[in-house]
């Protein structure tokens, strides 16, 4: 029997980003919003030893910050909105973007760490 070839990083991270098992792509990676499963229900691959730490939060902040800063620098100078409305709208957009990006970012990190063979120390 031939040894199993390692999976491509891009495929593994893409599977993680969509919330699927990085190994088989079939089982769910998350039990809840950001709670990863201990093991894949489809293939049995263990994820209990993987700890993404602050990586997903960092990536989310970088993406949201760069996108919103660009939009705000383009929109705000010509805006006639009152200050309170701008704060409500842009803070709401920032929170919504953060909540939407966190699970894919965590999946990406879990997939990359699994592929590298990371172990919690």
């Amino acid at each position: 029997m031939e040894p199993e070839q390692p999976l491509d990083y891009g495929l593994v991270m893409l599977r993680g980003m969509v919330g699927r098992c990085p190994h088989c792509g079939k089982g769910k990676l998350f039990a809840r919003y950001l709670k990863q499963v201990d093991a894949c229900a489809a293939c049995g691959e263990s994820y209990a030893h993987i700890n993404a730490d602050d990586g997903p939060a960092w990536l989310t902040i970088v993406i949201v910050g760069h996108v919103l800063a660009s939009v705000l620098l383009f929109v705000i100078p010509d805006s006639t909105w009152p200050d309170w409305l701008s704060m409500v709208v842009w803070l709401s957009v920032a929170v919504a973007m953060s909540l939407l990006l966190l699970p894919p970012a965590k999946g990406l990190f879990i997939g990359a760490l699994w592929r590298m063979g990371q172990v919690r120390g």
Side-chain angles (χ1 to χ4, degrees):
M1 180 177 253
E2 292 182 27
E4 190 175 321
Q5 293 291 335
L7 296 171
D8 178 55
Y9 273 102
L11 175 64
V12 167
M13 291 190 299
L14 181 63
R15 287 176 177 174
M17 284 179 64
V18 296
R20 295 290 172 194
C21 169
H23 184 245
C24 70
K26 295 178 183 158
K28 290 186 177 184
L29 186 57
F30 297 109
R32 294 188 303 270
Y33 177 64
L34 289 176
K35 173 72 174 153
Q36 70 198 47
V37 295
D38 289 332
C40 175
C43 69
E45 185 70 32
S46 175
Y47 298 108
H49 65 282
I50 296 177
N51 189 5
D53 291 327
D54 293 333
W58 168 82
L59 182 61
T60 300
I61 290 168
V62 167
I63 292 171
V64 171
H66 281 81
V67 168
L68 279 183
S70 301
V71 170
L72 290 175
L73 287 171
F74 181 73
V75 171
I76 292 294
D78 298 327
S79 175
T80 58
W81 291 358
D83 290 343
W84 68 268
L85 181 61
S86 287
M87 295 207 35
V88 168
V89 168
W90 296 115
L91 285 174
S92 299
V93 170
V95 168
M97 284 179 68
S98 297
L99 292 175
L100 289 172
L101 285 174
L102 265 173
K106 185 166 183 175
L108 181 137
F109 270 83
I110 290 172
L113 292 169
W114 173 81
R115 173 61 177 78
M116 289 186 283
Q118 186 265 352
V119 179
R120 185 181 290 169

